[in-house]
Amino acid sequence: MQSDKELKRFYDEINEELKAGLLAEDDGTTPEQLFTEYCLSLLADAGETENFVVSYDEKVNRRGVEHKINGYSLYENYETLDLFITLLSDTNEIPSIPKGEIDRASERLRKFFKNAIYNNYKNEIEESSEIFDIAHTLAEVPQVKEFLSRVNIFILTNGIVKSEINLTDTISGYSIFYRIIDLNYLFNISSKAHVPIEISFADEGFRLPCILNNTQNDDYQSYLGIIPGDALVEIYERYGARLLEQNVRSFLQFTGKYNRGIRNTIINEPHMFLAFNNGIAATAEEIEVTRNSEGTFIASVKDFQIVNGGQTTASIYHTWKKNKETDISKIFVQLKLTIIKNRENFGEIVGRIAEYANTQNKVSASDLSSNKENHVLFEKISRTIWAAPTKDKLQQTRWFFERARGQYKNARQREGYSLAKKKAFDLKNPRSQVLTKESLAKYINCMGEVYKANKLVIGPHIVVRGAQKNYAQFVNNNYKDRPDNIFFEDTVAKALLFKSSEKIYGVKPNAIGDMRYITVPYTIGLFGYLANYQFDLYRVWKKQEISEPLKTLLRGLMIDVEHFIKSNAPGSLYGEWAKKEECWNLIKESKWEVNLGSIQEDLINKNTPIRLRISDKEVDDKLAQSELKLISSIPSNKWLEISKLGNHIEEVNQHLKDRAINIMSTINQGKSLSVKQRIDALKLIDILVDKIPEYFDSLKEPNLLDDKTSILETRSQYVIIDIPLLQKMVDYDSKAKVLKRGEQQYLADYAYGLKKMNDFHRSNLERHLQTLIKSGYNLG
C-alpha cells in the first residue's frame, strides 16, 4: 500500500496537471472538467471504461440540484452505460470526503438516468446542451431498451473516501453498480495495465469442477473446468465486456450481441449446450482451488480475463435476460483456464494465447501490445527530433510519444531530479505535447481516407466511434510499417491542426455548439477532402502552428458542418448518425462554400521543399547520445551507493549491483560506456525513480555559470566563457548552421539559463566555440 508521502506527491502532481491544463486550454474549460478528463483517461487505459465523452449538465429546481453529470460512456454494443460525477476539492492538503457528499452525488446521477430514460427529459433540453445527444439516445434508440444490462455510476474525487457505500441497486429493472474513484484508486491504476477482476465463485455458491494439468513449467499452469451457465450470467451482468481481455476486445470488434444458433440451443435444448459448444478460454494471475471427496473445484480467481468465448458468454446472458423462464441451471460450459506464472512476460503470454485462441479473427500478438515495432520506432524518433520554438519562446521542444502509460511521468522523474531540472524538462517536453497511441490514431485518421477491397475503413466517422474502436482501425489499416522522421513531423502537424481546431471550437459557454467531439474530426476530414489532401503539413511542423487564414476558414467550416449534421440526422440522434459511413458520404457529396484561395500558402506547391529521411541508425545514435548524457549527469561515486541500495530493493539483482560498480569504474577511468552498460544504467535509474522517487533530489546542483566563468586561450587573445558570449554563439549558429541539432540545443540551454554549469559543461562549450571559430566566427 502506498505511503502518505507517496500519496501527497501524487496529489500535488494532479494539481500540477490541472494548472498546466488550464494554462494550455485558453478556451474556457474548468478545473472540474479537466480533472474529469484526467480520471477518465486513466480509467480508459485501465479497461474500466471506453469511448467516454466529457460533458457537463446540472439541473436545478426549487429544492436545489436535482441532477448533475460530468461525463458518460455508452458502449457501442449498448450493453453498458457509464455515468460520471466529479467532486473536486481545491485545497493544499488531501481532503477527506464525507459519506453524505458521496450519497448526494450518487443520487444526482441516479436522477439523471431516470430523467433521461423515462421522464421525457430530452424535450426539456436545449439543443446546445452538452448532454443533448446522450439524453436523446437513451430515450429513443431501440437497442438501448433491448441490450442495456448495467449502469455504472462512478463518483470521481481527488479526496479520500473511507466510508462504505451500497455497491448495487436497480432502477426499474436496470442493474446499477456504484464505484468510488478516489485518490487511492487513481494512484493504484496510474501505473497498472488494467484493473484486475477478482471473482469468488465459492462465496457466490457456484461449483466449478476442474482437473489440473500436472505438467511442470515456469510459464503457466492449465486447468480444465466446467462453469455453470448461471455463474457466467452472474459475472457477465457485473462486468460485461470488461471480462474480455482489453486489447482483444478492441481488435476483435466485440459487440456483445448474442448468436442465434446458441440462443436456440439455450431455449430448446439447454442440456445439450456442453456437447454443442466449444467453450471459453480464459487467463488469470492466481487461482484458489478446494478439494473434497467429490473432487477438485475452482473457488476463486484473480485477474480473470476471457481471451476466447466472449460471444458465447454474451449469448447466454442475453438469452436469459430476454427469456427469464429459460432454465440456465441446465447449461454448462467448458472452461480452459491458464494461470500465468511468469509475471515479467504476462502481457506477451496473454497476447499469444489470445492470438492462437482467436484463429478465425486473424489477430496477431503484436497487434495486442504497445510493443509493436512501429510504436517502438515512433517512440525513438520522438526522443530525438526537436521542434522549432513556438511563438514568443526561445526553447526548442519535443513531442513526447508515450508508448506505454507512465513513460512521461517516469522520464520527468529520472531526468528532473531537482526542481530546476524538472522545470527544464517541462520547458523541453510540455505536457500539451504528449502523444498517446489513441491520440495518434485520432489525429491521423481524421486527415484522410483508406479503402480496403472497396470498403472505407478509415474516415472521420471512425474517429467519432471512440478511442478504442478508432485505434483498432488505425493499427490495422493506417499505421506506417516503419515510421520515419517525415511521418513523425506530419503526425505532429496533424496534431497541431486537431488541437487548434478544438480551441477554435471552444468550450461552453464560449463554444460554437455542443458537438465538439463530432464536429472537429468531420471538419478536418472535410477540409482535407476539399483540399485534395494537398495541405502542407511540413509548413505547420516548421512553424508549430496553423496560419490565421486557416483558423478563419476552419471556424466557418465548423459552423456549417455542425449545422449540416444536425439538419440531416434522423430524429435528434446526432451522435449515432455521425458514427455511420452514410453521414460522411453525404457530407462529401454536398456542396460547400469554401474559399481555398484564402489559404494558398498553406497548400503544397512547387516551392514546397523535399525532405530527406533520417536513417534508423541516425535515430539510434541520437537516442544513445541523449541517454549517455543523462547517465553522465550522475556523479560517479553515486554508483557505489546505488549498488549498496540494491541490497534493499528486490528488483536490483546481483547482476545490476555488480554493474553499478562496473559503471563507476568505467567513468572514473575516463572510458566510454558500452551498450550493455548504458542499458543497465537506465534500468537502475528507472528502478530507483520508481522505488525511491526522492533519491535523486539530493544531488547537488553545479555552480551557476555567472558565478564561475572559464577562460579560453585562443591564438593571441583570452576569451571569457560567459552568458553574453554564449548568446552571441547561438545567434551566429542560427544563421551559419554549423552545430548539429543536439549541439544547438545544448548551447541554448546554457545561453539562456535553462541549465546550470559545472566544469565539464564549461569545457564542452569551449569545444563548441572552437568549432564555430573554425567555421569563421569572429570573436571581436
Side-chain angles (χ1 to χ4, degrees):
M1 185 174 176
Q2 64 272 13
S3 67
D4 291 344
K5 188 174 182 180
E6 288 176 315
L7 204 59
K8 180 60 166 66
R9 184 191 291 268
F10 182 64
Y11 179 75
D12 292 339
E13 285 174 359
I14 290 177
N15 287 335
E16 277 187 42
E17 291 267 0
L18 297 183
K19 288 174 184 175
L22 285 173
L23 290 173
E25 298 284 343
D26 54 2
D27 50 11
T29 191
T30 65
E32 188 171 283
Q33 290 304 79
L34 281 175
F35 179 71
T36 303
E37 185 150 14
Y38 172 83
C39 293
L40 299 195
S41 295
L42 282 180
L43 289 169
D45 285 345
E48 290 276 275
T49 190
E50 62 180 50
N51 303 329
F52 62 84
V53 178
V54 176
S55 57
Y56 176 80
D57 184 66
E58 193 170 36
K59 184 180 182 182
V60 181
N61 57 29
R62 292 177 182 177
R63 290 172 293 181
V65 177
E66 179 176 343
H67 76 226
K68 178 186 172 186
I69 180 172
N70 291 90
Y72 65 87
S73 170
L74 179 60
Y75 290 29
E76 189 176 14
N77 56 25
Y78 300 102
E79 274 195 350
T80 303
L81 172 66
D82 293 338
L83 299 175
F84 306 95
I85 188 170
T86 298
L87 302 175
L88 181 67
S89 300
D90 183 15
T91 59
N92 291 328
E93 297 302 319
I94 301 172
S96 180
I97 310 300
K99 185 175 187 299
E101 223 176 312
I102 296 296
D103 290 342
R104 282 191 295 273
S106 301
E107 183 59 22
R108 286 168 181 173
L109 272 186
R110 280 172 53 89
K111 285 186 176 177
F112 170 79
F113 176 67
K114 285 197 290 187
N115 286 341
I117 205 161
Y118 288 121
N119 292 347
N120 224 16
Y121 181 55
K122 64 183 177 64
N123 295 329
E124 302 175 27
I125 307 174
E126 293 183 8
E127 195 173 298
S128 60
S129 170
E130 294 182 6
I131 51 89
F132 181 88
D133 190 39
I134 184 63
H136 277 261
T137 299
L138 292 176
E140 297 178 4
V141 173
Q143 290 92 331
V144 171
K145 299 291 190 294
E146 181 178 1
F147 291 113
L148 186 60
S149 304
R150 68 197 62 80
V151 179
N152 296 318
I153 286 182
F154 290 81
I155 294 96
L156 315 174
T157 177
N158 63 339
I160 294 177
V161 179
K162 296 179 180 178
S163 55
E164 296 292 325
I165 66 164
N166 291 328
L167 297 178
T168 62
D169 196 0
T170 59
I171 296 178
S172 299
Y174 291 102
S175 297
I176 310 295
F177 299 95
Y178 297 93
R179 302 287 304 282
I180 298 293
I181 309 299
D182 67 353
L183 192 68
N184 277 313
Y185 196 90
L186 292 171
F187 180 91
N188 289 330
I189 67 171
S190 64
S191 58
K192 291 182 179 178
H194 65 276
V195 178
I197 291 176
E198 300 185 34
I199 301 171
S200 177
F201 294 107
D203 289 348
E204 298 293 336
F206 298 117
R207 289 164 56 90
L208 275 68
C210 69
I211 57 173
L212 166 67
N213 174 13
N214 287 313
T215 303
Q216 296 297 316
N217 64 74
D218 296 330
D219 291 322
Y220 72 94
Q221 180 72 60
S222 282
Y223 294 79
L224 285 177
I226 303 293
I227 183 169
D230 48 4
L232 270 184
V233 164
E234 182 81 20
I235 63 175
Y236 191 81
E237 182 165 58
R238 179 70 181 89
Y239 298 106
R242 278 188 60 209
L243 285 170
L244 193 66
E245 202 279 326
Q246 185 183 4
N247 288 316
V248 178
R249 180 167 73 243
S250 294
F251 280 87
L252 301 189
Q253 304 295 299
F254 178 65
T255 65
K257 298 178 183 178
Y258 56 76
N259 177 286
R260 294 195 180 278
I262 293 177
R263 176 179 177 273
N264 290 335
T265 300
I266 294 168
I267 293 174
N268 300 318
E269 299 177 281
H271 64 289
M272 296 299 296
F273 194 91
L274 185 63
F276 291 168
N277 188 268
N278 290 329
I280 62 177
T283 62
E285 178 185 342
E286 296 176 8
I287 184 174
E288 182 183 343
V289 298
T290 58
R291 294 179 175 86
N292 57 34
S293 59
E294 297 180 6
T296 303
F297 300 86
I298 299 172
S300 65
V301 287
K302 179 183 178 183
D303 202 359
F304 186 75
Q305 294 277 279
I306 295 175
V307 295
N308 182 257
Q311 297 289 355
T312 295
T313 306
S315 297
I316 294 172
Y317 174 79
H318 283 292
T319 303
W320 166 80
K321 188 180 177 186
K322 293 190 73 174
N323 304 271
K324 290 293 179 67
E325 69 281 0
T326 302
D327 186 3
I328 57 171
S329 65
K330 294 181 179 179
I331 295 171
F332 294 93
V333 183
Q334 176 182 293
L335 168 67
K336 182 178 77 172
L337 180 62
T338 303
I339 308 303
I340 310 298
K341 296 179 183 178
N342 189 336
R343 301 306 299 166
E344 288 186 3
N345 296 324
F346 181 84
E348 180 189 350
I349 294 172
V350 171
R352 290 173 66 189
I353 292 172
E355 173 188 1
Y356 296 118
N358 290 286
T359 53
Q360 295 180 32
N361 293 283
K362 298 181 181 178
V363 56
S364 70
S366 63
D367 284 339
L368 305 177
S369 171
S370 60
N371 295 321
K372 284 175 65 70
E373 185 181 14
N374 39 15
H375 280 327
V376 174
L377 288 173
F378 195 86
E379 178 192 7
K380 285 183 179 180
I381 295 167
S382 80
R383 303 297 191 270
T384 58
I385 290 186
W386 292 87
T390 54
K391 189 166 53 179
D392 302 326
K393 299 284 177 63
L394 296 171
Q395 174 72 49
Q396 286 184 301
T397 59
R398 289 190 299 196
W399 285 77
F400 190 105
F401 177 53
E402 195 173 52
R403 176 173 57 84
R405 192 200 318 159
Q407 282 186 321
Y408 179 83
K409 176 183 174 183
N410 291 340
R412 187 174 186 265
Q413 284 182 314
R414 78 180 190 181
E415 293 186 31
Y417 50 72
S418 70
L419 184 59
K421 285 190 172 291
K422 279 186 170 65
K423 287 182 178 178
F425 179 86
D426 291 344
L427 282 171
K428 292 185 292 185
N429 304 274
R431 279 184 174 85
S432 61
Q433 292 180 194
V434 174
L435 301 168
T436 65
K437 299 190 297 293
E438 290 78 14
S439 66
L440 207 67
K442 178 171 64 176
Y443 303 145
I444 294 174
N445 280 0
C446 278
M447 193 64 167
E449 293 180 302
V450 175
Y451 284 86
K452 286 198 172 179
N454 296 321
K455 182 180 179 180
L456 182 61
V457 293
I458 297 294
H461 61 296
I462 301 293
V463 178
V464 173
R465 291 178 185 176
Q468 281 78 17
K469 298 297 180 185
N470 182 58
Y471 174 70
Q473 289 296 99
F474 168 68
V475 294
N476 284 327
N477 302 298
N478 203 25
Y479 201 177
K480 188 178 176 70
D481 289 337
R482 295 192 64 81
D484 54 24
N485 57 300
I486 296 173
F487 178 81
F488 176 81
E489 291 167 359
D490 285 353
T491 298
V492 169
K494 291 172 183 177
L496 286 163
L497 178 63
F498 195 97
K499 286 170 170 283
S500 297
S501 298
E502 285 191 318
K503 285 193 174 184
I504 294 166
Y505 188 96
V507 171
K508 290 287 187 180
N510 305 309
I512 286 173
D514 59 300
M515 301 192 336
R516 188 168 82 163
Y517 79 102
I518 296 172
T519 302
V520 168
Y522 264 98
T523 299
I524 292 172
L526 179 60
F527 165 67
Y529 179 77
L530 295 175
N532 199 27
Y533 303 108
Q534 293 302 296
F535 180 53
D536 190 349
L537 293 167
Y538 186 49
R539 186 170 191 264
V540 176
W541 160 256
K542 287 191 299 180
K543 292 183 175 293
Q544 287 294 291
E545 63 179 2
I546 65 173
S547 70
E548 291 302 322
L550 180 55
K551 289 179 183 177
T552 301
L553 184 147
L554 288 171
R555 178 175 176 78
L557 195 54
M558 277 192 278
I559 293 171
D560 292 342
V561 166
E562 179 147 323
H563 180 263
F564 182 92
I565 291 174
K566 287 183 174 180
S567 300
N568 289 276
S572 299
L573 303 176
Y574 311 139
E576 293 299 303
W577 191 55
K579 294 174 184 176
K580 297 179 179 178
E581 184 181 338
E582 172 193 351
C583 176
W584 173 232
N585 287 335
L586 186 60
I587 284 177
K588 286 189 299 181
E589 293 163 3
S590 301
K591 292 184 178 180
W592 299 90
E593 298 295 329
V594 176
N595 180 19
L596 294 178
S598 65
I599 58 162
Q600 280 303 306
E601 291 186 356
D602 294 302
L603 303 178
I604 294 173
N605 56 56
K606 62 181 180 181
N607 297 320
T608 302
I610 297 174
R611 287 176 279 173
L612 298 177
R613 180 183 176 275
I614 298 173
S615 69
D616 291 347
K617 183 179 184 305
E618 288 177 279
V619 172
D620 288 338
D621 289 347
K622 287 185 178 183
L623 186 60
Q625 289 169 17
S626 67
E627 291 173 346
L628 287 169
K629 184 178 176 182
L630 168 65
I631 295 165
S632 66
S633 70
I634 299 173
S636 63
N637 62 334
K638 273 284 180 183
W639 291 101
L640 178 59
E641 189 177 304
I642 289 170
S643 177
K644 292 178 180 178
L645 280 173
N647 295 326
H648 309 286
I649 301 175
E650 182 182 352
E651 287 79 3
V652 181
N653 56 30
Q654 189 60 48
H655 166 74
L656 289 176
K657 285 190 282 189
D658 294 342
R659 179 67 84 193
I661 296 173
N662 173 245
I663 290 168
M664 179 186 70
S665 173
T666 301
I667 292 172
N668 287 338
Q669 294 178 61
K671 295 180 180 178
S672 298
L673 294 177
S674 68
V675 173
K676 290 182 178 179
Q677 285 176 316
R678 171 166 55 88
I679 292 171
D680 285 342
L682 292 170
K683 277 185 187 176
L684 284 163
I685 291 171
D686 286 337
I687 290 170
L688 287 174
V689 164
D690 180 47
K691 300 299 178 183
I692 317 176
E694 67 278 4
Y695 177 72
F696 292 111
D697 293 351
S698 61
L699 290 187
K700 291 181 179 179
E701 286 292 329
N703 294 323
L704 289 171
L705 177 61
D706 50 4
D707 287 341
K708 182 179 179 183
T709 58
S710 175
I711 298 177
L712 167 68
E713 183 178 358
T714 172
R715 295 179 185 166
S716 61
Q717 61 186 129
Y718 291 95
V719 177
I720 297 176
I721 301 292
D722 58 8
I723 282 178
L725 173 61
L726 293 177
Q727 291 179 350
K728 289 178 182 176
M729 291 164 61
V730 171
D731 184 61
Y732 170 81
D733 191 60
S734 67
K735 302 179 181 68
K737 306 292 185 188
V738 176
L739 300 178
K740 297 177 182 177
R741 181 175 292 176
E743 294 170 340
Q744 293 169 348
Q745 180 62 45
Y746 179 81
L747 175 59
D749 283 347
Y750 294 100
Y752 296 104
L754 296 173
K755 289 189 176 179
K756 296 180 180 181
M757 183 59 57
N758 61 19
D759 291 334
F760 167 80
H761 295 303
R762 215 169 276 113
S763 301
N764 203 23
L765 289 166
E766 291 170 359
R767 181 172 63 87
H768 290 324
L769 177 57
Q770 290 284 22
T771 301
L772 294 180
I773 290 171
K774 288 178 183 177
S775 76
Y777 176 67
N778 188 345
L779 285 169

